[in-house]
């Protein structure tokens, strides 16, 4: 029997912004339990450094630094800034190893090493990979880059033109470069290269151009491709074999990556891998999501369209699939499944479970057993109307028939729209509060589908959308929320005029940082959502904040300002900012390495 959850995970009346647009939390949190959960694996990164896109292998975006707290966060000021000059969406987080910060621009994907031991953090070196400009025209949604990784003295990242490059972290010299695909056929790469256990894991973009989605592992030392697994196609291509034991029976069949598609359509069926990857060293499994099926017009591809809009657990050494689960079967609205997979051990049902937490575009916050793929919880975190609830027996959302689009017929007020009530922007988890902190949307769309034909390297799309606030013409488009993954509910919420497209940062000082599309960088109390500090930056914020300990022993907070990417769907709204390219670094009173020790906070 279906178990139906509420269609609206929030209090709509509580989402009215104050007259001066200075947000305050709309709901206070309860006191946390003794053990509300923790990351899946021990944190091996030095406390003051940041080596991976989400800082740790589990993707928590949590910093153990606590110098900055509620008593002094109001004194944050700019310590220094840096501009890379690239006027596209700045979606990544800088990394810090030792006394050096590493940042990479969006196209042309230029890397910089900044010396943190010197006032102003002068440039140690820069590396220009000479990315092909052809890639700009193939990128679906701005020529962005969502992150890079540091490991074994190397900075490793993807180029928009479908190459992966490793750069010597000390000298800036190219160590290796691997071509992964032909950009002329529509394959680009915007996801953050992820390093674990001596391997570089990467995936492709281009779901709107009918590419075949894949994830691949490269040798960290040489760049040699070790394995590649596709999202669609035969079991051999998808690397499904004897180890594949999915929890739900609908995934137990031969060559489902072909048979759940019309004849001949699977290999243009997308399932691109352009989001985040996480890794559990205890099981040696990586976890990642796949994109929408192609074309986006569902009438042209009857069937469940496996393995699009899904999550895979794979052996990191061999690429063998261990289990999979599809978030949105026969995805009719472009809901994807690429959003982050945060690996947490959580007290579910009275005992600690090994889980994977995922905020999907389809508006369900999933808690899955990361060993089996069983759905333990599926709760809506924002307003939606495409589904009437969730059937735990089958592991599927229950589709409202009225919300299914048909070619050449306008379907009004579908919620969420194609970009979901949350896109790729990663949340943060604090083991101190047991809460997750995430930027979300509050939007709907009018949708009209048009049948399309496949031509390699060109849009294979067919969706026409008009997006607007779920609350009407002048309503807010977003919010920043604290979410209890165990209870499956909001704890507090901050309304925002625009979609919140930045990632989040949680710290041991019980402060959470996030940015807004119109350029506000905010620090809030992790327990009750009270805004403790905010600073308007020169452009909108769609990047990921991070924190590090400088050579002077101070804690710093860094965020890139440079609006772009999917945030551009709001560009006609009053207050949408100009493009930018500036990295801001904050400290208490703006102190840096040149500030005398006696003046340290």
């Amino acid at each position: 029997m279906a178990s139906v959850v509420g269609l609206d995970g929030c209090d709509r009346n509580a989402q009215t912004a104050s007259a001066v647009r200075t947000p305050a939390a709309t709901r206070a949190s309860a006191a946390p339990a003794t053990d509300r959960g923790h990351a899946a694996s021990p944190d091996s990164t030095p406390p003051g450094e940041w080596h991976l896109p989400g800082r740790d292998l589990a993707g928590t975006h949590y910093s153990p630094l606590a110098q900055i707290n509620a008593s002094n966060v109001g004194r944050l000021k700019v310590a220094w800034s840096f501009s890379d000059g690239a006027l596209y969406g700045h979606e990544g987080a800088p990394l810090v190893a030792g006394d050096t910060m590493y940042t990479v621009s969006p196209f042309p994907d230029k890397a910089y090493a900044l010396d943190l031991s010197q006032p102003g953090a002068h440039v140690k070196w820069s590396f220009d990979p000479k990315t092909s400009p052809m890639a700009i025209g193939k990128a679906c949604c701005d020529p962005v880059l969502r992150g890079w990784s540091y490991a074994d003295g190397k900075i490793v990242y993807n180029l928009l033109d479908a190459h992966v490059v490793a750069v010597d972290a000390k000298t800036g010299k190219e160590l290796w470069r691997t071509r992964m695909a032909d950009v002329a056929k529509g394959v680009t790469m915007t996801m953050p290269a992820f390093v674990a256990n001596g391997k570089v894991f990467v995936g492709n973009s281009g779901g709107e151009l009918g590419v075949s989605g894949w994830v691949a592992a490269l040798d960290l030392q040489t760049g040699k491709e070790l394995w590649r697994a596709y999202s669609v196609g035969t079991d051999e291509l998808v690397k499904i074999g004897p180890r594949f034991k999915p929890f739900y029976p609908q995934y137990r069949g031969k060559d489902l990556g072909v048979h759940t598609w019309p004849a001949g359509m699977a290999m243009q069926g997308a399932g691109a891998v352009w989001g985040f990857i996480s890794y559990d060293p205890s099981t040696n499994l990586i976890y990642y999501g796949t994109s929408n099926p192609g074309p986006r017009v569902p009438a042209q591809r009857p069937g469940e369209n496996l393995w699009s809009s899904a999550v895979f657990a794979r052996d990191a050494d061999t690429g063998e699939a261990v289990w999979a689960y599809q978030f949105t079967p026969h995805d009719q609205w472009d809901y994807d499944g690429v959003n982050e997979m945060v690996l947490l051990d959580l007290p579910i049902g009275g005992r600690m479970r090994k889980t994977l937490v995922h905020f999907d575009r389809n508006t369900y916050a999933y808690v899955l057993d990361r060993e089996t793929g069983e759905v333990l919880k599926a709760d809506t975190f924002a307003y939606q109307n495409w589904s009437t609830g969730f059937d735990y027996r089958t592991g599927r959302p229950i589709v409202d028939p009225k919300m299914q689009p048909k070619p050449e017929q306008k379907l009004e007020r579908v919620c969420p729209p194609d970009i979901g009530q949350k896109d790729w922007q990663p949340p943060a988890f604090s083991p101190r509060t047991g809460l997750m902190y995430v930027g979300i949307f509050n939007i709907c769309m009018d949708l009209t589908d048009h049948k399309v034909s496949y031509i390699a390297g060109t849009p294979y799309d067919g969706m026409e959308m008009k997006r607007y606030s779920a609350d009407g013409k002048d309503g807010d488009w977003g919010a920043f929320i604290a979410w209890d993954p165990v209870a499956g509910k909001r704890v507090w919420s901050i309304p925002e005029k625009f979609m919140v497209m930045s990632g989040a940062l949680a710290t041991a000082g019980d402060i959470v940082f996030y940015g807004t599309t119109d350029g506000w960088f905010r620090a809030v109390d992790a327990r009750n959502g009270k805004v403790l500090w905010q600073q308007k930056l020169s452009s909108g914020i769609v990047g990921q904040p991070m924190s590090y300990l400088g050579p002077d022993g101070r804690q710093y907070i860094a965020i890139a300002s440079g609006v772009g990417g999917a945030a551009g769907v709001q560009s006609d709204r009053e207050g949408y900012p100009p493009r930018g390219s500036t990295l801001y670094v904050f400290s208490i009173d703006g102190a840096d390495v040149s500030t005398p020790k006696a003046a340290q906070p």
Side-chain angles (χ1 to χ4, degrees):
M1 182 176 180
S3 174
V4 179
V5 299
L7 297 184
D8 188 350
C10 62
D11 177 358
R12 306 303 314 154
N13 294 327
Q15 288 205 26
T16 302
S18 65
V20 296
R21 301 295 312 171
T22 301
T26 60
R27 195 180 304 166
S29 73
T34 302
D35 187 357
R36 298 298 304 276
H38 51 268
S41 60
D43 181 9
S44 60
T45 305
E49 301 190 5
W50 196 289
H51 293 179
L52 295 172
R55 190 175 181 277
D56 53 31
L57 296 170
T60 66
H61 290 260
Y62 173 77
S63 169
L65 301 180
Q67 284 185 20
I68 298 172
N69 53 52
S71 70
N72 60 18
V73 69
R75 292 161 51 196
L76 282 180
K77 293 182 180 178
V78 176
W80 56 272
S81 62
F82 171 77
S83 175
D84 59 33
L87 297 179
Y88 298 114
H90 283 61
E91 296 186 347
L95 307 179
V96 168
D99 64 356
T100 306
M101 175 180 284
Y102 301 95
T103 187
V104 184
S105 77
F107 186 90
D109 305 322
K110 192 171 182 179
Y112 299 87
L114 307 178
D115 189 346
L116 300 177
S117 68
Q118 300 297 319
H122 77 258
V123 177
K124 284 185 174 183
W125 55 255
S126 63
F127 168 73
D128 185 353
K130 307 297 183 183
T131 308
S132 170
M134 177 191 295
I136 297 176
K138 302 299 182 181
C140 151
C141 316
D142 211 21
V144 299
L145 180 63
R146 298 184 181 89
W148 39 98
S149 289
Y150 168 88
D152 195 27
K154 302 174 181 64
I155 299 297
V156 187
Y157 65 99
N158 292 323
L159 306 181
L160 191 67
D161 63 6
H163 290 74
V164 187
V165 66
V167 180
D168 187 294
K170 288 185 178 180
T171 66
K173 295 186 180 301
E174 181 177 311
L175 298 175
W176 53 258
R177 181 186 301 226
T178 302
R179 181 180 183 268
M180 301 302 297
D182 183 356
V183 68
K185 295 182 178 179
V187 180
T188 54
M189 295 176 71
T190 58
M191 59 87 74
F194 178 79
V195 177
N197 199 24
K199 299 175 182 64
V200 182
F201 299 96
V202 298
N204 64 333
S205 300
E208 282 67 45
L209 281 78
V211 305
S212 183
W214 47 259
V215 67
L218 311 180
D219 183 270
L220 175 61
Q221 300 305 321
T222 66
K224 178 183 178 182
E225 184 173 321
L226 302 175
W227 57 259
R228 184 182 300 220
Y230 286 84
S231 305
V232 291
T234 64
D235 286 351
E236 181 180 6
L237 286 172
V238 184
K239 286 192 173 295
I240 287 177
R243 291 187 63 187
F244 188 64
K245 293 180 173 57
F247 184 84
Y248 296 98
Q250 63 262 31
Y251 307 135
R252 303 173 200 155
K254 184 172 176 56
D255 292 329
L256 295 180
V258 174
H259 298 321
T260 57
W261 294 84
M265 291 190 69
M267 295 314 293
Q268 285 79 49
V273 182
W274 58 266
F276 292 83
I277 296 176
S278 49
Y279 172 69
D280 184 349
S282 70
T283 57
N284 196 38
L285 297 180
I286 62 166
Y287 302 86
Y288 67 93
T290 64
S291 83
N292 58 286
R296 293 198 288 183
V297 181
Q300 291 186 243
R301 46 173 173 80
E304 293 187 357
N305 309 136
L306 293 169
W307 302 89
S308 64
S309 301
V311 54
F312 273 103
R314 292 190 182 276
D315 185 293
D317 292 334
T318 66
E320 294 171 280
V322 175
W323 60 259
Y325 167 78
Q326 190 176 47
F327 298 110
T328 312
H330 183 54
D331 182 359
Q332 302 178 68
W333 310 271
D334 190 29
Y335 287 162
D336 282 47
V338 300
N339 293 359
E340 71 296 321
M341 310 292 167
V342 185
L343 308 185
L344 303 174
D345 292 348
L346 295 174
I348 305 293
R351 65 185 180 94
M352 197 63 70
R353 299 288 296 265
K354 295 181 178 181
T355 75
L356 175 159
V357 182
H358 168 86
F359 290 83
D360 199 78
R361 281 199 199 186
N362 70 15
T363 316
Y364 281 94
Y366 292 87
V367 180
L368 275 63
D369 184 307
R370 68 175 182 272
E371 294 184 314
T372 67
E374 177 188 7
V375 178
L376 304 177
K377 293 186 64 62
D379 304 284
T380 51
F381 59 86
Y383 179 73
Q384 64 91 15
N385 65 10
W386 74 277
S387 164
T388 60
F390 193 86
D391 186 340
Y392 282 89
R393 180 182 57 84
T394 63
R396 299 169 183 261
I398 305 166
V399 176
D400 185 341
K402 299 190 300 293
M403 291 294 106
Q404 298 183 85
K406 297 177 177 61
E408 310 305 330
Q409 295 183 27
K410 182 178 179 181
L411 182 61
E412 297 185 340
R413 201 171 189 273
V414 182
C415 314
D418 56 313
I419 50 179
Q421 298 297 29
K422 178 193 173 299
D423 203 347
W424 66 271
Q425 68 275 12
F429 171 79
S430 171
R432 293 174 56 83
T433 64
L435 301 178
M436 303 191 76
Y437 305 92
V438 57
I440 66 168
F441 311 154
N442 178 46
I443 49 179
C444 301
M445 69 174 170
D446 295 340
L447 167 65
T448 307
D449 280 349
H450 309 283
K451 289 188 177 182
V452 292
S453 299
Y454 174 72
I455 302 173
T458 65
Y460 190 44
D461 190 347
M463 285 181 70
E464 178 185 325
M465 298 83 66
K466 178 184 178 182
R467 309 173 190 90
Y468 45 84
S469 170
D471 293 336
K473 180 179 178 181
D474 298 318
D476 292 318
W477 279 47
F480 186 74
I481 69 172
W483 180 263
D484 185 332
V486 176
K489 65 179 182 180
R490 288 194 194 189
V491 177
W492 50 256
S493 179
I494 301 171
E496 293 288 355
K497 177 179 178 180
F498 291 91
M499 296 153 40
V500 179
M501 288 292 301
S502 87
L505 165 68
T507 72
D510 291 337
I511 303 295
V512 177
F513 294 88
Y514 76 99
T516 71
T517 296
D518 51 348
W520 286 100
F521 188 43
R522 309 198 202 278
V524 305
D525 188 299
R527 299 187 184 277
N528 59 34
K530 179 181 179 182
V531 176
L532 303 173
W533 169 88
Q534 56 185 349
Q535 173 70 55
K536 187 69 177 292
L537 304 186
S538 58
S539 181
I541 302 169
V542 295
Q544 303 162 55
M546 57 83 72
S547 187
Y548 69 92
L549 200 66
D552 54 357
R554 292 183 175 91
Q555 182 182 357
Y556 292 83
I557 307 293
I559 184 67
S561 171
V563 75
V569 303
Q570 311 163 96
S571 59
D572 291 338
R573 301 194 73 210
E574 183 180 357
Y576 188 85
R579 295 268 192 174
S581 61
T582 303
L583 172 69
Y584 291 88
V585 179
F586 297 87
S587 65
I588 301 300
D589 298 328
D592 66 6
V593 293
S594 66
T595 305
K597 295 293 184 181
Q600 287 192 28

